[in-house]
Each structure stands twice: as C-alpha cells, then as structure tokens.
Amino acid sequence: MSIQSNAINSSIDERYLLQLFNKYTNNKHVESSFEQNDTWPIKIYTLGRFRLINNGEPLTFPGRAKRRPLEMLKALIAFGGRDVSQERLSEALWPDSEGDAAHRSFDTTLHRLRKLIGNDKAIVLQEGRLSLNSDVCWVDAWAFERLQGKVESILDNTTFFNAKDDKTDEKTHLSNNPYSINLEEVGLLCDQTLSLYQDHFLSHSTEESWCLTYRERLRSKFIRLLRKAGRHWENNSQWYKAVDCYQRGLELDNLIEGFYQGLMNCYRQLDLNAEAIVNYNRCKENLYKYLNIKPSKTTEEIYDSLLN
Amino acid sequence: MESYIVRIYRQEDARSEKMVGVAIEPGEDKEHVFNNVFELYKLLTAKKNIAEKPFICNDNGTAKSSM
C-alpha cells in the first residue's frame, strides 16, 4: 500500500474527522476533502509521485505516447483547475506553436486525455476554458489547501483544553466556547492535513516553469502550517510533537532559522540541552555555509540560556 | 530557464531593504545568495528577457514590496 493510501485509509475514522471539521468550521468544502474513498471516481495525486486512480484502479502510462495528455492534466491542475483558458494551456504546452497549429494540438491532446482518464465528465471545456470537474475528480493538492486553511484558522482562533484535564469547571467553560477544541482533536486534524503533503507538487515528474508557482505556493503553505502547529504544541507543552513539526520543516529546508529555534526551545524544556546545542551548531554551520550569515540575536539568546 | 524562485530567509522588517535569501534557477540547480534588495534586483534582471520590475511576495503570495 502506498504512503498516500496509508494516510487516507489509516485507522482514523474519517467520519470522525469530518465531524470535527464541521464542528469547528462549518464548511462543506472541508467535508468533501475527507470523503475520498467513495465519493470521487477519479483521484489525482500530485504531491510527490504523480498518480491517477480511476474507481480504485491505478492507471499506468507506459511509453511516451501518454506524455502530452498527462502534461495537459498537470498544467490544468497547476493553473488552478478551473476555467483555465485554452490559450494559457497552449502557451505552456506548445510555446513554439501558433494559431491553428496550437489549436489542433490542444484539441487532439484533450481528446487523448479524456480517453486516458476513462471518464467523459472529468474534464469540461466551456467557452474556450478548461476545468476539472470537482464532482468527479479529487485532487490531493486541493484537499491539502482547503484543510490547511481550515486548520490554520482553528490554530489561530481557538482556545484549547486538554481532554485529560480534570479541571471540570475550566472544561465546561471552554466547551461553551464554540471554538474550543481539545488537544487530541487538533492533533488529529494537523496530522491528517500534514500527511497529505507527501512531497512537493509534481516533484518527481516535471520541472516545467508552469508548475513552479503552484509548487512554491503549496510549499509555503506547508511550511507555514508546520510553524503554526509547532508553536501550538509548544504553547501546550507537547514538546515531542513540536519537535516532530520542526524537524520535518528542516528536512524540507535547512535554512529556516525559526525551526532551529523551536527545536532548541523544545530540547531545553525536555532537559536535553546537548540536543539543543547540536541544533544550534547545525543552524550556525548551515547559515554560514549557504548564506554567509551568523545566527540571529534570538537564536544566540536561546543558546546563551542553554549554557547558563 | 527564465524563471526564478526567490526565498527570503531574513529581513529586518517588511519594508527593509536588507534581506538575505537565495534566488534559485529551477532545473539548473543554481542558487544565488543575495544580501539586500538591490543584489536581488541585479540577479533577476541579469537575463534581459525577464520582468523588469519584480515584486517580492509574502508567504501567502501577496506583494510585499515592489521596486
């Protein structure tokens, strides 16, 4: 079973997640993100290895013949997937073709793409604009974006309480707050959202310029969520959970100083000063090696606190 | 390739010209470090056929400052 399928078909009850999101967000789009297994005949995975699933069956694309139609599908997703003009797609896919030639290539490739997907309703062409039918197609990147926005808003706007906390009065008080949520629940929401981001958008299949903007946007959202989730866990003294977020962030980009600072803070709280110092040294080394700068004042202050 | 990915790792404040980051040429594995907005501008305009007035984005993709 693939990593993605593992995340999706994990032991966590998706209906429960759905209830949680509805409880805190009351948003129907979020609902659609989790109902992956049954609702959509076509599932498209773009975060990491590109995969296309039709009614549970992975489609394979041997040879070069399918390359163009698949590129068209990828570009369509990269451009937002809705109402993408024929001209924009043609320019991305056939930059050297003009007029009728580009138009013919577009028509032929679209016909082959529809045939390849095996579902006539998956792609809609209307008034020269192409859209992926969101009633038929589920796209992991779109699900990630929707959930990321919702989780961020929950992290930004909620008051948290620990379900294991025995302070009944406090719990009752917070439960009356429509935005209160317990730590286990928010952990579940964060984990599920982060698990959708297996790797960068189309990272193994294309380096074309048309995919870069969307790739960077998703990457940026993922990093922001890791930061916020890490901070959330720190605020609730869940140090190891925060460490997981920061380490994942550094695996993605080892020049983001905030992640080192977070790690140093967490290890200090866990009385693991040696680990904290190791991370300070890593930070110092990488910043100097790649950016030719020293750690910031904040990083140095955390480091000093470790020595005292 | 004519595209660049610009990542800013340190900036004193949103309006500051002092910023440290890298401009990456995708597909070519080339990374250029810059230490202020003028160095960044120089990097981005080194190839004539790119936009002459690049703008810098926040995490959410909105323009932070233009040149």
Side-chain angles (χ1 to χ4, degrees), chain A residues 207-209 212 216-217 219-221 223-224 227 253 255-257 287 290-296 299, chain B residues 1-10 20-22 24 26-28 31 33-35 58-61:
Chain A
E207 286 300 320
E208 296 291 342
S209 58
L212 297 178
E216 282 302 299
R217 193 168 89 198
R219 178 188 181 278
S220 171
K221 286 183 174 186
I223 286 176
R224 208 168 63 214
R227 269 196 190 126
D253 189 335
L255 297 177
I256 300 176
E257 200 172 355
L287 291 182
Y290 297 106
L291 299 175
N292 200 22
I293 56 173
K294 291 177 180 173
S296 68
T299 307
Chain B
M1 186 176 280
E2 293 158 14
S3 305
Y4 283 88
I5 295 168
V6 178
R7 295 190 178 134
I8 298 167
Y9 290 102
R10 189 177 293 172
V20 180
V22 292
I24 303 163
E28 297 188 25
E31 294 191 4
V33 177
F34 57 86
N35 291 288
N58 284 315
D59 280 350
N60 61 9

Short mmCIF file of all heavy atoms in Angstrom, two decimals, chain A residues 207-209 212 216-217 219-221 223-224 227 253 255-257 287 290-296 299, chain B residues 1-10 20-22 24 26-28 31 33-35 58-61:
data_model
loop_
_atom_site.label_atom_id
_atom_site.label_comp_id
_atom_site.label_asym_id
_atom_site.label_seq_id
_atom_site.Cartn_x
_atom_site.Cartn_y
_atom_site.Cartn_z
N GLU A 207 9.76 19.61 -14.26
CA GLU A 207 10.44 20.83 -13.81
C GLU A 207 10.06 22.00 -14.70
O GLU A 207 10.75 23.00 -14.77
CB GLU A 207 11.97 20.64 -13.84
CG GLU A 207 12.51 19.76 -12.73
CD GLU A 207 12.22 20.31 -11.33
OE1 GLU A 207 12.32 21.53 -11.13
OE2 GLU A 207 11.89 19.50 -10.44
N GLU A 208 8.94 21.83 -15.41
CA GLU A 208 8.50 22.90 -16.32
C GLU A 208 8.15 24.16 -15.52
O GLU A 208 7.65 24.07 -14.40
CB GLU A 208 7.27 22.43 -17.10
CG GLU A 208 7.52 21.26 -18.03
CD GLU A 208 8.40 21.62 -19.22
OE1 GLU A 208 8.55 22.81 -19.52
OE2 GLU A 208 8.94 20.69 -19.84
N SER A 209 8.38 25.30 -16.15
CA SER A 209 8.18 26.56 -15.42
C SER A 209 6.72 26.75 -15.00
O SER A 209 6.44 27.38 -13.99
CB SER A 209 8.65 27.73 -16.27
OG SER A 209 7.95 27.75 -17.49
N LEU A 212 5.92 25.77 -11.36
CA LEU A 212 6.71 26.30 -10.24
C LEU A 212 5.91 27.18 -9.28
O LEU A 212 6.08 27.11 -8.07
CB LEU A 212 7.92 27.07 -10.76
CG LEU A 212 8.91 26.23 -11.57
CD1 LEU A 212 10.04 27.11 -12.08
CD2 LEU A 212 9.46 25.09 -10.75
N GLU A 216 5.53 26.31 -5.38
CA GLU A 216 6.04 27.19 -4.32
C GLU A 216 4.93 27.62 -3.37
O GLU A 216 5.14 27.75 -2.17
CB GLU A 216 6.71 28.42 -4.93
CG GLU A 216 8.09 28.15 -5.45
CD GLU A 216 9.05 27.62 -4.39
OE1 GLU A 216 9.29 28.31 -3.39
OE2 GLU A 216 9.55 26.50 -4.54
N ARG A 217 3.74 27.84 -3.91
CA ARG A 217 2.63 28.25 -3.07
C ARG A 217 2.28 27.14 -2.06
O ARG A 217 2.11 27.40 -0.87
CB ARG A 217 1.40 28.56 -3.93
CG ARG A 217 0.31 29.29 -3.16
CD ARG A 217 -0.73 29.83 -4.08
NE ARG A 217 -1.79 28.85 -4.30
CZ ARG A 217 -2.65 28.89 -5.30
NH1 ARG A 217 -2.57 29.84 -6.19
NH2 ARG A 217 -3.58 27.97 -5.44
N ARG A 219 4.27 24.71 -1.09
CA ARG A 219 5.41 24.55 -0.18
C ARG A 219 5.34 25.57 0.94
O ARG A 219 5.54 25.26 2.12
CB ARG A 219 6.71 24.72 -0.99
CG ARG A 219 7.98 24.61 -0.19
CD ARG A 219 9.17 25.00 -1.07
NE ARG A 219 10.42 24.89 -0.35
CZ ARG A 219 10.90 25.81 0.46
NH1 ARG A 219 10.21 26.92 0.67
NH2 ARG A 219 12.04 25.64 1.09
N SER A 220 5.04 26.80 0.54
CA SER A 220 4.96 27.88 1.51
C SER A 220 3.84 27.62 2.53
O SER A 220 4.01 27.85 3.74
CB SER A 220 4.73 29.18 0.73
OG SER A 220 4.44 30.21 1.60
N LYS A 221 2.72 27.13 2.06
CA LYS A 221 1.60 26.83 2.97
C LYS A 221 1.95 25.69 3.92
O LYS A 221 1.58 25.71 5.09
CB LYS A 221 0.35 26.46 2.16
CG LYS A 221 -0.28 27.65 1.49
CD LYS A 221 -1.54 27.27 0.76
CE LYS A 221 -2.23 28.52 0.23
NZ LYS A 221 -3.53 28.24 -0.36
N ILE A 223 4.99 24.87 4.97
CA ILE A 223 5.94 25.38 5.96
C ILE A 223 5.22 26.22 7.01
O ILE A 223 5.49 26.11 8.21
CB ILE A 223 7.06 26.18 5.26
CG1 ILE A 223 8.01 25.20 4.55
CG2 ILE A 223 7.84 27.05 6.25
CD1 ILE A 223 9.09 25.85 3.73
N ARG A 224 4.30 27.03 6.56
CA ARG A 224 3.55 27.88 7.50
C ARG A 224 2.74 27.04 8.48
O ARG A 224 2.69 27.33 9.67
CB ARG A 224 2.64 28.81 6.72
CG ARG A 224 2.36 30.11 7.44
CD ARG A 224 1.71 31.10 6.55
NE ARG A 224 0.41 30.66 6.07
CZ ARG A 224 -0.07 30.95 4.86
NH1 ARG A 224 0.63 31.67 4.03
NH2 ARG A 224 -1.27 30.53 4.50
N ARG A 227 5.05 25.52 11.06
CA ARG A 227 5.42 26.55 12.04
C ARG A 227 4.31 26.72 13.08
O ARG A 227 4.55 26.72 14.28
CB ARG A 227 5.60 27.89 11.34
CG ARG A 227 7.00 28.15 10.89
CD ARG A 227 7.13 29.65 10.58
NE ARG A 227 8.39 29.90 9.91
CZ ARG A 227 8.52 30.54 8.76
NH1 ARG A 227 7.46 31.00 8.15
NH2 ARG A 227 9.69 30.72 8.23
N ASP A 253 13.71 22.32 4.40
CA ASP A 253 14.56 23.48 4.14
C ASP A 253 15.42 23.74 5.38
O ASP A 253 14.91 24.20 6.40
CB ASP A 253 13.70 24.70 3.84
CG ASP A 253 14.52 25.89 3.33
OD1 ASP A 253 15.72 25.96 3.65
OD2 ASP A 253 13.95 26.74 2.63
N LEU A 255 17.51 25.97 6.03
CA LEU A 255 17.94 27.35 6.25
C LEU A 255 16.90 28.18 6.99
O LEU A 255 17.08 29.38 7.17
CB LEU A 255 18.27 28.02 4.90
CG LEU A 255 19.43 27.39 4.13
CD1 LEU A 255 19.61 28.08 2.78
CD2 LEU A 255 20.73 27.47 4.92
N ILE A 256 15.82 27.55 7.40
CA ILE A 256 14.78 28.30 8.12
C ILE A 256 15.11 28.33 9.61
O ILE A 256 14.96 27.33 10.32
CB ILE A 256 13.38 27.70 7.85
CG1 ILE A 256 13.08 27.74 6.35
CG2 ILE A 256 12.31 28.46 8.64
CD1 ILE A 256 11.77 27.10 5.94
N GLU A 257 15.59 29.47 10.04
CA GLU A 257 16.14 29.58 11.39
C GLU A 257 15.09 29.34 12.47
O GLU A 257 15.39 28.81 13.55
CB GLU A 257 16.76 30.99 11.55
CG GLU A 257 17.76 31.07 12.66
CD GLU A 257 18.48 32.40 12.66
OE1 GLU A 257 18.26 33.22 11.75
OE2 GLU A 257 19.28 32.62 13.59
N LEU A 287 23.76 28.22 8.15
CA LEU A 287 23.58 29.63 7.79
C LEU A 287 24.87 30.22 7.23
O LEU A 287 24.85 31.01 6.29
CB LEU A 287 23.11 30.44 9.01
CG LEU A 287 21.70 30.16 9.52
CD1 LEU A 287 21.36 31.06 10.70
CD2 LEU A 287 20.65 30.35 8.42
N TYR A 290 25.70 28.38 3.60
CA TYR A 290 24.85 28.66 2.44
C TYR A 290 24.49 30.14 2.27
O TYR A 290 24.22 30.60 1.16
CB TYR A 290 23.57 27.83 2.49
CG TYR A 290 23.85 26.35 2.42
CD1 TYR A 290 23.73 25.54 3.54
CD2 TYR A 290 24.26 25.75 1.23
CE1 TYR A 290 24.01 24.18 3.49
CE2 TYR A 290 24.53 24.40 1.16
CZ TYR A 290 24.41 23.62 2.30
OH TYR A 290 24.69 22.28 2.24
N LEU A 291 24.43 30.89 3.40
CA LEU A 291 24.01 32.29 3.30
C LEU A 291 25.08 33.27 3.76
O LEU A 291 24.91 34.48 3.63
CB LEU A 291 22.73 32.52 4.13
CG LEU A 291 21.49 31.72 3.74
CD1 LEU A 291 20.36 31.97 4.73
CD2 LEU A 291 21.02 32.06 2.33
N ASN A 292 26.14 32.71 4.32
CA ASN A 292 27.25 33.54 4.82
C ASN A 292 26.78 34.55 5.89
O ASN A 292 27.18 35.70 5.89
CB ASN A 292 27.92 34.26 3.65
CG ASN A 292 29.32 34.72 4.01
OD1 ASN A 292 29.93 34.17 4.93
ND2 ASN A 292 29.81 35.74 3.32
N ILE A 293 25.88 34.10 6.75
CA ILE A 293 25.43 34.95 7.86
C ILE A 293 25.55 34.19 9.18
O ILE A 293 25.67 32.96 9.19
CB ILE A 293 23.96 35.42 7.68
CG1 ILE A 293 23.01 34.22 7.50
CG2 ILE A 293 23.83 36.38 6.52
CD1 ILE A 293 21.54 34.59 7.49
N LYS A 294 25.51 34.96 10.26
CA LYS A 294 25.57 34.35 11.59
C LYS A 294 24.14 34.13 12.10
O LYS A 294 23.20 34.76 11.61
CB LYS A 294 26.29 35.30 12.55
CG LYS A 294 27.76 35.44 12.24
CD LYS A 294 28.38 36.46 13.19
CE LYS A 294 29.86 36.62 12.89
NZ LYS A 294 30.47 37.71 13.67
N PRO A 295 23.98 33.29 13.12
CA PRO A 295 22.64 33.14 13.71
C PRO A 295 22.13 34.48 14.24
O PRO A 295 22.91 35.35 14.62
CB PRO A 295 22.87 32.15 14.85
CG PRO A 295 24.09 31.39 14.47
CD PRO A 295 24.95 32.37 13.73
N SER A 296 20.82 34.62 14.27
CA SER A 296 20.22 35.88 14.71
C SER A 296 20.36 36.04 16.22
O SER A 296 20.72 35.10 16.95
CB SER A 296 18.74 35.90 14.34
OG SER A 296 18.07 34.93 15.12
N THR A 299 18.35 33.51 18.22
CA THR A 299 18.99 32.19 18.30
C THR A 299 20.12 32.22 19.34
O THR A 299 20.25 31.29 20.15
CB THR A 299 19.55 31.77 16.92
OG1 THR A 299 18.50 31.89 15.96
CG2 THR A 299 20.08 30.36 16.93
N MET B 1 16.42 28.34 -18.31
CA MET B 1 15.06 28.67 -17.89
C MET B 1 15.00 30.12 -17.39
O MET B 1 15.93 30.58 -16.76
CB MET B 1 14.62 27.71 -16.78
CG MET B 1 13.19 27.88 -16.38
SD MET B 1 12.68 26.68 -15.15
CE MET B 1 12.40 25.25 -16.18
N GLU B 2 13.89 30.81 -17.66
CA GLU B 2 13.82 32.22 -17.30
C GLU B 2 13.13 32.48 -15.97
O GLU B 2 12.93 33.61 -15.57
CB GLU B 2 13.08 32.97 -18.42
CG GLU B 2 13.88 32.98 -19.71
CD GLU B 2 13.00 33.21 -20.92
OE1 GLU B 2 11.85 33.62 -20.73
OE2 GLU B 2 13.46 32.98 -22.03
N SER B 3 12.73 31.43 -15.29
CA SER B 3 12.05 31.61 -14.01
C SER B 3 13.04 31.52 -12.85
O SER B 3 14.05 30.83 -12.93
CB SER B 3 10.99 30.52 -13.83
OG SER B 3 10.11 30.53 -14.91
N TYR B 4 12.70 32.21 -11.80
CA TYR B 4 13.49 32.13 -10.57
C TYR B 4 12.55 31.86 -9.40
O TYR B 4 11.42 32.34 -9.37
CB TYR B 4 14.20 33.45 -10.28
CG TYR B 4 15.41 33.72 -11.12
CD1 TYR B 4 15.30 34.35 -12.35
CD2 TYR B 4 16.68 33.36 -10.67
CE1 TYR B 4 16.40 34.61 -13.13
CE2 TYR B 4 17.80 33.62 -11.44
CZ TYR B 4 17.66 34.25 -12.67
OH TYR B 4 18.76 34.51 -13.43
N ILE B 5 13.06 31.12 -8.45
CA ILE B 5 12.35 31.00 -7.17
C ILE B 5 13.16 31.83 -6.18
O ILE B 5 14.36 31.62 -6.04
CB ILE B 5 12.29 29.54 -6.71
CG1 ILE B 5 11.45 28.72 -7.69
CG2 ILE B 5 11.73 29.45 -5.30
CD1 ILE B 5 11.56 27.23 -7.50
N VAL B 6 12.49 32.77 -5.53
CA VAL B 6 13.19 33.63 -4.57
C VAL B 6 12.74 33.28 -3.15
O VAL B 6 11.54 33.27 -2.87
CB VAL B 6 12.91 35.12 -4.87
CG1 VAL B 6 13.60 36.00 -3.83
CG2 VAL B 6 13.39 35.47 -6.26
N ARG B 7 13.68 32.95 -2.31
CA ARG B 7 13.36 32.65 -0.91
C ARG B 7 14.10 33.62 0.00
O ARG B 7 15.32 33.73 -0.09
CB ARG B 7 13.74 31.22 -0.56
CG ARG B 7 12.91 30.23 -1.33
CD ARG B 7 13.07 28.82 -0.85
NE ARG B 7 12.18 27.97 -1.64
CZ ARG B 7 12.51 26.82 -2.20
NH1 ARG B 7 13.72 26.32 -2.00
NH2 ARG B 7 11.65 26.16 -2.90
N ILE B 8 13.33 34.29 0.83
CA ILE B 8 13.95 35.26 1.75
C ILE B 8 14.01 34.62 3.14
O ILE B 8 12.99 34.20 3.67
CB ILE B 8 13.13 36.56 1.77
CG1 ILE B 8 13.13 37.19 0.38
CG2 ILE B 8 13.71 37.55 2.80
CD1 ILE B 8 12.13 38.29 0.19
N TYR B 9 15.20 34.53 3.66
CA TYR B 9 15.37 33.87 4.96
C TYR B 9 15.50 34.85 6.12
O TYR B 9 15.29 34.48 7.26
CB TYR B 9 16.60 32.95 4.92
CG TYR B 9 16.37 31.74 4.06
CD1 TYR B 9 16.89 31.67 2.77
CD2 TYR B 9 15.59 30.69 4.52
CE1 TYR B 9 16.65 30.56 1.96
CE2 TYR B 9 15.35 29.58 3.72
CZ TYR B 9 15.88 29.52 2.45
OH TYR B 9 15.63 28.43 1.65
N ARG B 10 15.90 36.06 5.82
CA ARG B 10 15.99 37.04 6.91
C ARG B 10 15.72 38.44 6.37
O ARG B 10 16.25 38.82 5.33
CB ARG B 10 17.37 36.99 7.57
CG ARG B 10 17.43 37.83 8.83
CD ARG B 10 18.76 37.73 9.51
NE ARG B 10 19.01 36.41 10.06
CZ ARG B 10 20.18 36.03 10.57
NH1 ARG B 10 21.19 36.87 10.58
NH2 ARG B 10 20.35 34.83 11.06
N VAL B 20 18.21 38.74 3.37
CA VAL B 20 19.13 37.68 2.96
C VAL B 20 18.30 36.52 2.43
O VAL B 20 17.31 36.12 3.06
CB VAL B 20 19.99 37.20 4.15
CG1 VAL B 20 20.96 36.10 3.70
CG2 VAL B 20 20.77 38.37 4.74
N GLY B 21 18.71 36.02 1.30
CA GLY B 21 17.96 34.90 0.73
C GLY B 21 18.67 34.31 -0.46
O GLY B 21 19.85 34.61 -0.71
N VAL B 22 17.96 33.44 -1.15
CA VAL B 22 18.54 32.84 -2.35
C VAL B 22 17.57 32.96 -3.52
O VAL B 22 16.35 32.90 -3.33
CB VAL B 22 18.91 31.34 -2.15
CG1 VAL B 22 20.06 31.17 -1.20
CG2 VAL B 22 17.73 30.54 -1.68
N ILE B 24 16.80 30.94 -6.89
CA ILE B 24 17.10 29.61 -7.44
C ILE B 24 16.66 29.55 -8.89
O ILE B 24 15.57 29.98 -9.24
CB ILE B 24 16.35 28.53 -6.63
CG1 ILE B 24 16.75 28.62 -5.16
CG2 ILE B 24 16.64 27.13 -7.17
CD1 ILE B 24 15.80 27.89 -4.23
N PRO B 26 15.42 27.09 -11.32
CA PRO B 26 14.91 25.71 -11.32
C PRO B 26 15.46 24.91 -12.50
O PRO B 26 15.65 25.44 -13.59
CB PRO B 26 13.39 25.88 -11.48
CG PRO B 26 13.13 27.30 -11.19
CD PRO B 26 14.35 28.06 -11.52
N GLY B 27 15.70 23.66 -12.23
CA GLY B 27 16.18 22.78 -13.29
C GLY B 27 17.67 22.87 -13.53
O GLY B 27 18.27 22.02 -14.15
N GLU B 28 18.29 23.93 -13.03
CA GLU B 28 19.72 24.09 -13.25
C GLU B 28 20.51 23.96 -11.95
O GLU B 28 21.73 24.06 -11.95
CB GLU B 28 20.01 25.45 -13.91
CG GLU B 28 19.36 25.54 -15.28
CD GLU B 28 19.79 26.80 -16.02
OE1 GLU B 28 20.86 27.33 -15.72
OE2 GLU B 28 19.01 27.24 -16.87
N GLU B 31 21.96 28.29 -7.30
CA GLU B 31 21.41 29.14 -6.25
C GLU B 31 22.30 30.37 -6.09
O GLU B 31 23.51 30.24 -5.98
CB GLU B 31 21.32 28.38 -4.93
CG GLU B 31 20.33 27.24 -4.98
CD GLU B 31 20.03 26.65 -3.62
OE1 GLU B 31 20.54 27.17 -2.61
OE2 GLU B 31 19.29 25.66 -3.58
N VAL B 33 22.98 33.67 -3.76
CA VAL B 33 22.67 34.33 -2.49
C VAL B 33 22.63 35.84 -2.71
O VAL B 33 23.43 36.39 -3.47
CB VAL B 33 23.75 33.99 -1.45
CG1 VAL B 33 23.48 34.73 -0.13
CG2 VAL B 33 23.79 32.49 -1.21
N PHE B 34 21.67 36.50 -2.06
CA PHE B 34 21.67 37.98 -2.09
C PHE B 34 21.56 38.49 -0.66
O PHE B 34 21.03 37.81 0.23
CB PHE B 34 20.51 38.50 -2.97
CG PHE B 34 19.16 38.02 -2.54
CD1 PHE B 34 18.44 38.69 -1.57
CD2 PHE B 34 18.59 36.89 -3.11
CE1 PHE B 34 17.19 38.25 -1.16
CE2 PHE B 34 17.35 36.43 -2.71
CZ PHE B 34 16.65 37.12 -1.73
N ASN B 35 22.07 39.69 -0.44
CA ASN B 35 22.11 40.27 0.91
C ASN B 35 21.27 41.52 1.06
O ASN B 35 21.15 42.07 2.15
CB ASN B 35 23.56 40.58 1.31
CG ASN B 35 24.34 39.30 1.52
OD1 ASN B 35 24.12 38.60 2.50
ND2 ASN B 35 25.21 38.97 0.57
N ASN B 58 4.92 37.77 0.07
CA ASN B 58 4.80 37.18 1.39
C ASN B 58 4.52 35.69 1.23
O ASN B 58 4.35 35.20 0.12
CB ASN B 58 3.62 37.82 2.14
CG ASN B 58 3.98 39.18 2.64
OD1 ASN B 58 5.06 39.37 3.19
ND2 ASN B 58 3.09 40.13 2.43
N ASP B 59 4.40 34.99 2.36
CA ASP B 59 4.09 33.57 2.31
C ASP B 59 2.78 33.30 1.59
O ASP B 59 2.61 32.29 0.94
CB ASP B 59 3.96 33.01 3.74
CG ASP B 59 5.34 32.75 4.32
OD1 ASP B 59 6.31 32.82 3.55
OD2 ASP B 59 5.43 32.48 5.53
N ASN B 60 1.85 34.22 1.73
CA ASN B 60 0.55 33.98 1.11
C ASN B 60 0.47 34.45 -0.33
O ASN B 60 -0.57 34.44 -0.95
CB ASN B 60 -0.55 34.65 1.94
CG ASN B 60 -0.37 36.15 2.02
OD1 ASN B 60 0.49 36.69 1.33
ND2 ASN B 60 -1.14 36.80 2.85
N GLY B 61 1.60 34.87 -0.88
CA GLY B 61 1.64 35.22 -2.29
C GLY B 61 1.28 36.65 -2.60
O GLY B 61 1.30 37.07 -3.74
#
